[in-house]
Amino acid sequence: MAYPPAARSSPPRQPSVKVILDSADVQRVVDRISHQILEKTQGAADTVLLGIPTRGAPLARRLAARISTFEAVDIPVGVLDITLYRDDLRRHATRAVGPTQVPTGGIDGKRVILVDDVLFSGRTVRAALDALNDVGRPASVQLAVLVDRGHRELPIRADYVGKNIPTSLAESVKVTLAETDGVDEVKLYGGATA
């Protein structure tokens, strides 16, 4: 009895990876956002930067440092932990709760700029707005992001965007920063190559 030849298996498909921003690009984007903040806030008067962990916190510190370099303005920086305000706590494992660090002088009556690495559905920003209400009452709230990849589920828009990256829902954007990951880079993962 003859057996049919065994089917050849093709090698597994690997997801494609594309570097969108390298280290020099990330630095240029941070510089540009810093300049935009200075322009839109009349020299960062009464402005506080609050970074959303994990990568929004070092980005906020970088923005403050660049603003100080450009205009000799020391802008207060803090960290806003949103873990307990997320709407997906029951569905997904979450990271440990971190500290919220409000700068000396607080946020009441100030312009608060929330800083994050990637804007996607808008749910992280919604959680940040809820957390912010428990910290104080700012005069206004703005949003600065390194990358906006689209696909909003909520009516949220960034005031300062480093790079707009049109993506499909099958793709993902990964930001790495020297402070947290050892290298500054933005990569787009998605699709598969044979």
Side-chain angles (χ1 to χ4, degrees):
M1 170 179 232
Y3 293 99
R8 290 187 179 166
S9 63
S10 58
R13 295 173 65 109
Q14 299 295 320
S16 66
V17 180
K18 181 179 180 185
V19 175
I20 302 295
L21 299 173
D22 63 17
S23 182
D25 295 330
V26 170
Q27 183 58 51
R28 276 190 294 276
V29 165
V30 168
D31 285 353
R32 184 166 27 86
I33 293 172
S34 300
H35 281 292
Q36 290 172 347
I37 289 171
L38 284 166
E39 291 169 9
K40 284 179 125 176
T41 63
Q42 295 75 44
D46 292 320
T47 300
V48 173
L49 298 177
L50 288 181
I52 300 170
T54 297
R55 288 167 189 83
L59 280 172
R61 287 189 289 275
R62 283 190 194 188
L63 289 168
R66 297 308 289 161
I67 287 169
S68 178
T69 298
F70 298 141
E71 292 287 329
V73 173
D74 289 328
I75 186 167
V77 180
V79 177
L80 184 66
D81 185 75
I82 63 159
T83 304
L84 296 178
Y85 297 87
R86 296 187 59 89
D87 62 4
D88 58 358
L89 283 175
R90 287 175 275 169
R91 295 187 307 162
H92 301 291
T94 187
R95 64 179 192 80
V97 175
T100 288
Q101 300 164 347
V102 178
T104 304
I107 64 167
D108 290 340
K110 307 273 177 71
R111 175 189 300 109
V112 170
I113 301 177
L114 297 172
V115 181
D116 204 5
D117 57 348
V118 178
L119 177 57
F120 180 33
S121 66
R123 292 185 179 278
T124 296
V125 177
R126 190 229 23 102
L129 292 170
D130 287 348
L132 196 60
N133 282 331
D134 285 348
V135 173
R137 191 169 194 277
S140 65
V141 179
Q142 296 178 344
L143 176 63
V145 295
L146 189 65
V147 173
D148 183 345
R149 63 165 292 190
H151 304 288
R152 223 69 81 239
E153 295 173 4
L154 299 170
I156 291 174
R157 176 189 59 79
D159 300 278
Y160 312 97
V161 177
K163 178 92 173 159
N164 284 294
I165 302 175
T167 63
S168 75
L169 289 173
E171 294 172 314
S172 64
V173 173
K174 175 68 174 163
V175 173
T176 57
L177 297 176
E179 297 91 335
T180 55
D181 311 291
V183 65
D184 289 339
E185 206 169 50
V186 177
K187 290 183 179 178
L188 178 64
Y189 292 84
T193 57

PDB file of all heavy atoms in Angstrom, residues 48-61 63 76-82 95 99-101 103 112-117 124 128 132 143-144:
ATOM      1  N   VAL A  48       2.198  72.217  34.954  1.00  0.00           N
ATOM      2  CA  VAL A  48       2.743  71.048  35.644  1.00  0.00           C
ATOM      3  C   VAL A  48       2.680  69.874  34.669  1.00  0.00           C
ATOM      4  O   VAL A  48       1.674  69.685  33.977  1.00  0.00           O
ATOM      5  CB  VAL A  48       1.907  70.712  36.904  1.00  0.00           C
ATOM      6  CG1 VAL A  48       2.362  69.412  37.537  1.00  0.00           C
ATOM      7  CG2 VAL A  48       1.960  71.849  37.902  1.00  0.00           C
ATOM      8  N   LEU A  49       3.741  69.075  34.605  1.00  0.00           N
ATOM      9  CA  LEU A  49       3.748  67.859  33.792  1.00  0.00           C
ATOM     10  C   LEU A  49       3.524  66.664  34.712  1.00  0.00           C
ATOM     11  O   LEU A  49       4.202  66.535  35.739  1.00  0.00           O
ATOM     12  CB  LEU A  49       5.089  67.681  33.075  1.00  0.00           C
ATOM     13  CG  LEU A  49       5.498  68.750  32.075  1.00  0.00           C
ATOM     14  CD1 LEU A  49       6.887  68.448  31.515  1.00  0.00           C
ATOM     15  CD2 LEU A  49       4.489  68.858  30.950  1.00  0.00           C
ATOM     16  N   LEU A  50       2.565  65.802  34.366  1.00  0.00           N
ATOM     17  CA  LEU A  50       2.325  64.567  35.107  1.00  0.00           C
ATOM     18  C   LEU A  50       2.473  63.393  34.153  1.00  0.00           C
ATOM     19  O   LEU A  50       1.709  63.247  33.198  1.00  0.00           O
ATOM     20  CB  LEU A  50       0.926  64.549  35.723  1.00  0.00           C
ATOM     21  CG  LEU A  50       0.655  65.474  36.906  1.00  0.00           C
ATOM     22  CD1 LEU A  50      -0.772  65.297  37.406  1.00  0.00           C
ATOM     23  CD2 LEU A  50       1.651  65.235  38.033  1.00  0.00           C
ATOM     24  N   GLY A  51       3.480  62.560  34.397  1.00  0.00           N
ATOM     25  CA  GLY A  51       3.719  61.394  33.560  1.00  0.00           C
ATOM     26  C   GLY A  51       2.896  60.207  34.022  1.00  0.00           C
ATOM     27  O   GLY A  51       2.734  59.965  35.219  1.00  0.00           O
ATOM     28  N   ILE A  52       2.368  59.472  33.050  1.00  0.00           N
ATOM     29  CA  ILE A  52       1.599  58.262  33.329  1.00  0.00           C
ATOM     30  C   ILE A  52       2.560  57.082  33.210  1.00  0.00           C
ATOM     31  O   ILE A  52       3.132  56.855  32.141  1.00  0.00           O
ATOM     32  CB  ILE A  52       0.432  58.104  32.328  1.00  0.00           C
ATOM     33  CG1 ILE A  52      -0.513  59.314  32.414  1.00  0.00           C
ATOM     34  CG2 ILE A  52      -0.315  56.801  32.585  1.00  0.00           C
ATOM     35  CD1 ILE A  52      -1.559  59.357  31.306  1.00  0.00           C
ATOM     36  N   PRO A  53       2.766  56.323  34.314  1.00  0.00           N
ATOM     37  CA  PRO A  53       3.699  55.196  34.243  1.00  0.00           C
ATOM     38  C   PRO A  53       3.242  54.178  33.203  1.00  0.00           C
ATOM     39  O   PRO A  53       2.052  54.063  32.938  1.00  0.00           O
ATOM     40  CB  PRO A  53       3.629  54.585  35.640  1.00  0.00           C
ATOM     41  CG  PRO A  53       3.121  55.701  36.511  1.00  0.00           C
ATOM     42  CD  PRO A  53       2.207  56.516  35.632  1.00  0.00           C
ATOM     43  N   THR A  54       4.114  53.488  32.578  1.00  0.00           N
ATOM     44  CA  THR A  54       5.510  53.392  32.923  1.00  0.00           C
ATOM     45  C   THR A  54       6.367  54.401  32.151  1.00  0.00           C
ATOM     46  O   THR A  54       7.221  55.084  32.727  1.00  0.00           O
ATOM     47  CB  THR A  54       6.003  51.956  32.647  1.00  0.00           C
ATOM     48  OG1 THR A  54       5.307  51.048  33.478  1.00  0.00           O
ATOM     49  CG2 THR A  54       7.488  51.803  32.859  1.00  0.00           C
ATOM     50  N   ARG A  55       6.162  54.528  30.856  1.00  0.00           N
ATOM     51  CA  ARG A  55       7.058  55.359  30.049  1.00  0.00           C
ATOM     52  C   ARG A  55       6.678  56.831  29.987  1.00  0.00           C
ATOM     53  O   ARG A  55       7.474  57.651  29.577  1.00  0.00           O
ATOM     54  CB  ARG A  55       7.198  54.747  28.661  1.00  0.00           C
ATOM     55  CG  ARG A  55       8.032  53.475  28.746  1.00  0.00           C
ATOM     56  CD  ARG A  55       7.983  52.615  27.503  1.00  0.00           C
ATOM     57  NE  ARG A  55       8.625  51.343  27.790  1.00  0.00           N
ATOM     58  CZ  ARG A  55       8.024  50.322  28.392  1.00  0.00           C
ATOM     59  NH1 ARG A  55       6.764  50.412  28.756  1.00  0.00           N
ATOM     60  NH2 ARG A  55       8.678  49.199  28.632  1.00  0.00           N
ATOM     61  N   GLY A  56       5.486  57.180  30.426  1.00  0.00           N
ATOM     62  CA  GLY A  56       5.108  58.588  30.450  1.00  0.00           C
ATOM     63  C   GLY A  56       5.872  59.369  31.507  1.00  0.00           C
ATOM     64  O   GLY A  56       6.135  60.564  31.343  1.00  0.00           O
ATOM     65  N   ALA A  57       6.253  58.707  32.595  1.00  0.00           N
ATOM     66  CA  ALA A  57       6.983  59.388  33.667  1.00  0.00           C
ATOM     67  C   ALA A  57       8.367  59.857  33.199  1.00  0.00           C
ATOM     68  O   ALA A  57       8.700  61.029  33.366  1.00  0.00           O
ATOM     69  CB  ALA A  57       7.072  58.498  34.900  1.00  0.00           C
ATOM     70  N   PRO A  58       9.192  58.986  32.599  1.00  0.00           N
ATOM     71  CA  PRO A  58      10.480  59.493  32.111  1.00  0.00           C
ATOM     72  C   PRO A  58      10.323  60.487  30.961  1.00  0.00           C
ATOM     73  O   PRO A  58      11.133  61.415  30.830  1.00  0.00           O
ATOM     74  CB  PRO A  58      11.250  58.244  31.679  1.00  0.00           C
ATOM     75  CG  PRO A  58      10.263  57.146  31.609  1.00  0.00           C
ATOM     76  CD  PRO A  58       9.114  57.530  32.489  1.00  0.00           C
ATOM     77  N   LEU A  59       9.292  60.326  30.148  1.00  0.00           N
ATOM     78  CA  LEU A  59       9.058  61.307  29.079  1.00  0.00           C
ATOM     79  C   LEU A  59       8.744  62.679  29.666  1.00  0.00           C
ATOM     80  O   LEU A  59       9.232  63.702  29.165  1.00  0.00           O
ATOM     81  CB  LEU A  59       7.912  60.857  28.169  1.00  0.00           C
ATOM     82  CG  LEU A  59       8.253  59.819  27.115  1.00  0.00           C
ATOM     83  CD1 LEU A  59       6.977  59.331  26.414  1.00  0.00           C
ATOM     84  CD2 LEU A  59       9.231  60.360  26.099  1.00  0.00           C
ATOM     85  N   ALA A  60       7.961  62.722  30.740  1.00  0.00           N
ATOM     86  CA  ALA A  60       7.642  64.000  31.385  1.00  0.00           C
ATOM     87  C   ALA A  60       8.914  64.644  31.925  1.00  0.00           C
ATOM     88  O   ALA A  60       9.119  65.856  31.781  1.00  0.00           O
ATOM     89  CB  ALA A  60       6.618  63.787  32.506  1.00  0.00           C
ATOM     90  N   ARG A  61       9.785  63.841  32.533  1.00  0.00           N
ATOM     91  CA  ARG A  61      11.052  64.386  33.045  1.00  0.00           C
ATOM     92  C   ARG A  61      11.926  64.908  31.907  1.00  0.00           C
ATOM     93  O   ARG A  61      12.572  65.954  32.030  1.00  0.00           O
ATOM     94  CB  ARG A  61      11.782  63.324  33.873  1.00  0.00           C
ATOM     95  CG  ARG A  61      11.124  63.073  35.217  1.00  0.00           C
ATOM     96  CD  ARG A  61      11.968  62.188  36.118  1.00  0.00           C
ATOM     97  NE  ARG A  61      12.026  60.801  35.676  1.00  0.00           N
ATOM     98  CZ  ARG A  61      11.113  59.884  35.980  1.00  0.00           C
ATOM     99  NH1 ARG A  61      10.073  60.200  36.729  1.00  0.00           N
ATOM    100  NH2 ARG A  61      11.254  58.641  35.555  1.00  0.00           N
ATOM    101  N   LEU A  63      10.864  66.067  28.973  1.00  0.00           N
ATOM    102  CA  LEU A  63      10.254  67.308  28.487  1.00  0.00           C
ATOM    103  C   LEU A  63      10.602  68.472  29.404  1.00  0.00           C
ATOM    104  O   LEU A  63      10.968  69.556  28.938  1.00  0.00           O
ATOM    105  CB  LEU A  63       8.736  67.147  28.375  1.00  0.00           C
ATOM    106  CG  LEU A  63       8.229  66.251  27.245  1.00  0.00           C
ATOM    107  CD1 LEU A  63       6.744  65.948  27.427  1.00  0.00           C
ATOM    108  CD2 LEU A  63       8.492  66.866  25.883  1.00  0.00           C
ATOM    109  N   PRO A  76       7.418  72.039  37.107  1.00  0.00           N
ATOM    110  CA  PRO A  76       7.232  70.931  38.051  1.00  0.00           C
ATOM    111  C   PRO A  76       6.789  69.657  37.327  1.00  0.00           C
ATOM    112  O   PRO A  76       5.997  69.701  36.382  1.00  0.00           O
ATOM    113  CB  PRO A  76       6.122  71.432  38.978  1.00  0.00           C
ATOM    114  CG  PRO A  76       6.056  72.908  38.779  1.00  0.00           C
ATOM    115  CD  PRO A  76       6.520  73.161  37.385  1.00  0.00           C
ATOM    116  N   VAL A  77       7.322  68.532  37.803  1.00  0.00           N
ATOM    117  CA  VAL A  77       7.024  67.229  37.202  1.00  0.00           C
ATOM    118  C   VAL A  77       6.572  66.271  38.286  1.00  0.00           C
ATOM    119  O   VAL A  77       7.146  66.234  39.378  1.00  0.00           O
ATOM    120  CB  VAL A  77       8.264  66.640  36.496  1.00  0.00           C
ATOM    121  CG1 VAL A  77       7.945  65.292  35.866  1.00  0.00           C
ATOM    122  CG2 VAL A  77       8.811  67.592  35.461  1.00  0.00           C
ATOM    123  N   GLY A  78       5.555  65.477  37.975  1.00  0.00           N
ATOM    124  CA  GLY A  78       5.086  64.454  38.893  1.00  0.00           C
ATOM    125  C   GLY A  78       4.721  63.188  38.145  1.00  0.00           C
ATOM    126  O   GLY A  78       4.899  63.090  36.928  1.00  0.00           O
ATOM    127  N   VAL A  79       4.206  62.231  38.889  1.00  0.00           N
ATOM    128  CA  VAL A  79       3.796  60.937  38.334  1.00  0.00           C
ATOM    129  C   VAL A  79       2.356  60.682  38.781  1.00  0.00           C
ATOM    130  O   VAL A  79       2.027  60.862  39.956  1.00  0.00           O
ATOM    131  CB  VAL A  79       4.713  59.804  38.837  1.00  0.00           C
ATOM    132  CG1 VAL A  79       4.234  58.454  38.323  1.00  0.00           C
ATOM    133  CG2 VAL A  79       6.155  60.056  38.422  1.00  0.00           C
ATOM    134  N   LEU A  80       1.520  60.252  37.837  1.00  0.00           N
ATOM    135  CA  LEU A  80       0.115  59.963  38.134  1.00  0.00           C
ATOM    136  C   LEU A  80      -0.159  58.484  37.867  1.00  0.00           C
ATOM    137  O   LEU A  80      -0.274  58.062  36.718  1.00  0.00           O
ATOM    138  CB  LEU A  80      -0.799  60.839  37.271  1.00  0.00           C
ATOM    139  CG  LEU A  80      -2.292  60.717  37.537  1.00  0.00           C
ATOM    140  CD1 LEU A  80      -2.631  61.236  38.930  1.00  0.00           C
ATOM    141  CD2 LEU A  80      -3.079  61.492  36.482  1.00  0.00           C
ATOM    142  N   ASP A  81      -0.232  57.705  38.944  1.00  0.00           N
ATOM    143  CA  ASP A  81      -0.518  56.279  38.781  1.00  0.00           C
ATOM    144  C   ASP A  81      -2.013  56.088  38.558  1.00  0.00           C
ATOM    145  O   ASP A  81      -2.830  56.594  39.325  1.00  0.00           O
ATOM    146  CB  ASP A  81      -0.075  55.486  40.008  1.00  0.00           C
ATOM    147  CG  ASP A  81      -0.252  54.002  39.788  1.00  0.00           C
ATOM    148  OD1 ASP A  81       0.555  53.413  39.051  1.00  0.00           O
ATOM    149  OD2 ASP A  81      -1.230  53.429  40.320  1.00  0.00           O
ATOM    150  N   ILE A  82      -2.357  55.357  37.503  1.00  0.00           N
ATOM    151  CA  ILE A  82      -3.767  55.187  37.123  1.00  0.00           C
ATOM    152  C   ILE A  82      -4.268  53.765  37.330  1.00  0.00           C
ATOM    153  O   ILE A  82      -5.401  53.450  36.972  1.00  0.00           O
ATOM    154  CB  ILE A  82      -3.980  55.577  35.644  1.00  0.00           C
ATOM    155  CG1 ILE A  82      -3.192  54.643  34.731  1.00  0.00           C
ATOM    156  CG2 ILE A  82      -3.605  57.025  35.410  1.00  0.00           C
ATOM    157  CD1 ILE A  82      -3.691  54.591  33.324  1.00  0.00           C
ATOM    158  N   ARG A  95      -0.427  45.728  36.457  1.00  0.00           N
ATOM    159  CA  ARG A  95       0.834  45.899  37.171  1.00  0.00           C
ATOM    160  C   ARG A  95       0.551  46.337  38.601  1.00  0.00           C
ATOM    161  O   ARG A  95      -0.565  46.739  38.943  1.00  0.00           O
ATOM    162  CB  ARG A  95       1.711  46.909  36.442  1.00  0.00           C
ATOM    163  CG  ARG A  95       1.153  48.296  36.393  1.00  0.00           C
ATOM    164  CD  ARG A  95       2.106  49.231  35.662  1.00  0.00           C
ATOM    165  NE  ARG A  95       1.730  50.601  35.843  1.00  0.00           N
ATOM    166  CZ  ARG A  95       2.001  51.325  36.920  1.00  0.00           C
ATOM    167  NH1 ARG A  95       2.662  50.803  37.904  1.00  0.00           N
ATOM    168  NH2 ARG A  95       1.611  52.581  36.996  1.00  0.00           N
ATOM    169  N   PRO A  99       3.248  54.691  43.202  1.00  0.00           N
ATOM    170  CA  PRO A  99       2.911  55.942  43.886  1.00  0.00           C
ATOM    171  C   PRO A  99       2.534  57.044  42.904  1.00  0.00           C
ATOM    172  O   PRO A  99       3.061  57.116  41.803  1.00  0.00           O
ATOM    173  CB  PRO A  99       4.208  56.310  44.612  1.00  0.00           C
ATOM    174  CG  PRO A  99       5.284  55.709  43.759  1.00  0.00           C
ATOM    175  CD  PRO A  99       4.688  54.450  43.174  1.00  0.00           C
ATOM    176  N   THR A 100       1.601  57.857  43.320  1.00  0.00           N
ATOM    177  CA  THR A 100       1.326  59.103  42.603  1.00  0.00           C
ATOM    178  C   THR A 100       2.150  60.164  43.305  1.00  0.00           C
ATOM    179  O   THR A 100       2.101  60.287  44.527  1.00  0.00           O
ATOM    180  CB  THR A 100      -0.170  59.443  42.653  1.00  0.00           C
ATOM    181  OG1 THR A 100      -0.865  58.525  41.800  1.00  0.00           O
ATOM    182  CG2 THR A 100      -0.438  60.866  42.171  1.00  0.00           C
ATOM    183  N   GLN A 101       2.942  60.882  42.527  1.00  0.00           N
ATOM    184  CA  GLN A 101       3.809  61.917  43.085  1.00  0.00           C
ATOM    185  C   GLN A 101       3.393  63.265  42.515  1.00  0.00           C
ATOM    186  O   GLN A 101       3.639  63.548  41.346  1.00  0.00           O
ATOM    187  CB  GLN A 101       5.267  61.622  42.744  1.00  0.00           C
ATOM    188  CG  GLN A 101       5.738  60.288  43.284  1.00  0.00           C
ATOM    189  CD  GLN A 101       7.023  59.820  42.650  1.00  0.00           C
ATOM    190  OE1 GLN A 101       7.476  60.342  41.650  1.00  0.00           O
ATOM    191  NE2 GLN A 101       7.613  58.798  43.244  1.00  0.00           N
ATOM    192  N   PRO A 103       3.810  67.219  42.366  1.00  0.00           N
ATOM    193  CA  PRO A 103       4.883  68.172  42.660  1.00  0.00           C
ATOM    194  C   PRO A 103       4.517  69.114  43.808  1.00  0.00           C
ATOM    195  O   PRO A 103       3.344  69.372  44.067  1.00  0.00           O
ATOM    196  CB  PRO A 103       5.030  68.969  41.358  1.00  0.00           C
ATOM    197  CG  PRO A 103       4.316  68.192  40.325  1.00  0.00           C
ATOM    198  CD  PRO A 103       3.297  67.354  41.015  1.00  0.00           C
ATOM    199  N   VAL A 112      -2.340  71.373  33.781  1.00  0.00           N
ATOM    200  CA  VAL A 112      -1.692  70.070  33.897  1.00  0.00           C
ATOM    201  C   VAL A 112      -1.583  69.460  32.509  1.00  0.00           C
ATOM    202  O   VAL A 112      -2.572  69.386  31.772  1.00  0.00           O
ATOM    203  CB  VAL A 112      -2.479  69.129  34.841  1.00  0.00           C
ATOM    204  CG1 VAL A 112      -1.929  67.711  34.765  1.00  0.00           C
ATOM    205  CG2 VAL A 112      -2.441  69.648  36.261  1.00  0.00           C
ATOM    206  N   ILE A 113      -0.380  69.048  32.164  1.00  0.00           N
ATOM    207  CA  ILE A 113      -0.176  68.324  30.910  1.00  0.00           C
ATOM    208  C   ILE A 113       0.134  66.877  31.271  1.00  0.00           C
ATOM    209  O   ILE A 113       1.163  66.586  31.883  1.00  0.00           O
ATOM    210  CB  ILE A 113       0.965  68.933  30.070  1.00  0.00           C
ATOM    211  CG1 ILE A 113       0.651  70.397  29.735  1.00  0.00           C
ATOM    212  CG2 ILE A 113       1.174  68.111  28.793  1.00  0.00           C
ATOM    213  CD1 ILE A 113       1.757  71.118  28.967  1.00  0.00           C
ATOM    214  N   LEU A 114      -0.796  65.987  30.926  1.00  0.00           N
ATOM    215  CA  LEU A 114      -0.577  64.556  31.107  1.00  0.00           C
ATOM    216  C   LEU A 114       0.358  64.087  30.004  1.00  0.00           C
ATOM    217  O   LEU A 114       0.212  64.487  28.837  1.00  0.00           O
ATOM    218  CB  LEU A 114      -1.898  63.796  31.030  1.00  0.00           C
ATOM    219  CG  LEU A 114      -2.936  64.129  32.100  1.00  0.00           C
ATOM    220  CD1 LEU A 114      -4.269  63.445  31.778  1.00  0.00           C
ATOM    221  CD2 LEU A 114      -2.435  63.738  33.479  1.00  0.00           C
ATOM    222  N   VAL A 115       1.318  63.235  30.344  1.00  0.00           N
ATOM    223  CA  VAL A 115       2.308  62.764  29.377  1.00  0.00           C
ATOM    224  C   VAL A 115       2.266  61.246  29.344  1.00  0.00           C
ATOM    225  O   VAL A 115       2.354  60.582  30.377  1.00  0.00           O
ATOM    226  CB  VAL A 115       3.732  63.246  29.757  1.00  0.00           C
ATOM    227  CG1 VAL A 115       4.747  62.779  28.722  1.00  0.00           C
ATOM    228  CG2 VAL A 115       3.763  64.764  29.904  1.00  0.00           C
ATOM    229  N   ASP A 116       2.154  60.688  28.126  1.00  0.00           N
ATOM    230  CA  ASP A 116       2.171  59.234  27.952  1.00  0.00           C
ATOM    231  C   ASP A 116       2.941  58.893  26.694  1.00  0.00           C
ATOM    232  O   ASP A 116       3.202  59.760  25.862  1.00  0.00           O
ATOM    233  CB  ASP A 116       0.742  58.686  27.898  1.00  0.00           C
ATOM    234  CG  ASP A 116       0.648  57.214  28.294  1.00  0.00           C
ATOM    235  OD1 ASP A 116       1.674  56.631  28.713  1.00  0.00           O
ATOM    236  OD2 ASP A 116      -0.449  56.640  28.181  1.00  0.00           O
ATOM    237  N   ASP A 117       3.274  57.603  26.554  1.00  0.00           N
ATOM    238  CA  ASP A 117       4.064  57.207  25.395  1.00  0.00           C
ATOM    239  C   ASP A 117       3.199  56.983  24.156  1.00  0.00           C
ATOM    240  O   ASP A 117       3.502  57.504  23.090  1.00  0.00           O
ATOM    241  CB  ASP A 117       4.940  55.990  25.685  1.00  0.00           C
ATOM    242  CG  ASP A 117       4.160  54.770  26.176  1.00  0.00           C
ATOM    243  OD1 ASP A 117       2.963  54.894  26.522  1.00  0.00           O
ATOM    244  OD2 ASP A 117       4.762  53.681  26.230  1.00  0.00           O
ATOM    245  N   THR A 124      -6.624  54.756  28.704  1.00  0.00           N
ATOM    246  CA  THR A 124      -5.608  55.135  29.691  1.00  0.00           C
ATOM    247  C   THR A 124      -5.776  56.596  30.081  1.00  0.00           C
ATOM    248  O   THR A 124      -5.700  56.954  31.263  1.00  0.00           O
ATOM    249  CB  THR A 124      -4.191  54.893  29.130  1.00  0.00           C
ATOM    250  OG1 THR A 124      -4.013  53.490  28.905  1.00  0.00           O
ATOM    251  CG2 THR A 124      -3.114  55.397  30.073  1.00  0.00           C
ATOM    252  N   ALA A 128      -6.628  58.339  33.629  1.00  0.00           N
ATOM    253  CA  ALA A 128      -5.793  59.416  34.174  1.00  0.00           C
ATOM    254  C   ALA A 128      -6.651  60.610  34.583  1.00  0.00           C
ATOM    255  O   ALA A 128      -6.395  61.236  35.618  1.00  0.00           O
ATOM    256  CB  ALA A 128      -4.734  59.838  33.152  1.00  0.00           C
ATOM    257  N   LEU A 132      -6.823  62.070  38.272  1.00  0.00           N
ATOM    258  CA  LEU A 132      -6.499  63.489  38.468  1.00  0.00           C
ATOM    259  C   LEU A 132      -7.540  64.175  39.353  1.00  0.00           C
ATOM    260  O   LEU A 132      -7.204  65.015  40.180  1.00  0.00           O
ATOM    261  CB  LEU A 132      -6.418  64.168  37.100  1.00  0.00           C
ATOM    262  CG  LEU A 132      -5.746  65.520  37.017  1.00  0.00           C
ATOM    263  CD1 LEU A 132      -4.300  65.438  37.481  1.00  0.00           C
ATOM    264  CD2 LEU A 132      -5.793  66.024  35.580  1.00  0.00           C
ATOM    265  N   LEU A 143      -2.868  67.039  26.937  1.00  0.00           N
ATOM    266  CA  LEU A 143      -2.265  65.718  26.762  1.00  0.00           C
ATOM    267  C   LEU A 143      -1.118  65.795  25.770  1.00  0.00           C
ATOM    268  O   LEU A 143      -1.269  66.354  24.684  1.00  0.00           O
ATOM    269  CB  LEU A 143      -3.321  64.726  26.271  1.00  0.00           C
ATOM    270  CG  LEU A 143      -2.855  63.306  25.937  1.00  0.00           C
ATOM    271  CD1 LEU A 143      -2.294  62.600  27.180  1.00  0.00           C
ATOM    272  CD2 LEU A 143      -4.007  62.492  25.334  1.00  0.00           C
ATOM    273  N   ALA A 144       0.021  65.228  26.167  1.00  0.00           N
ATOM    274  CA  ALA A 144       1.186  65.110  25.284  1.00  0.00           C
ATOM    275  C   ALA A 144       1.540  63.634  25.152  1.00  0.00           C
ATOM    276  O   ALA A 144       1.648  62.927  26.157  1.00  0.00           O
ATOM    277  CB  ALA A 144       2.376  65.883  25.849  1.00  0.00           C
TER     278      ALA A 144
END
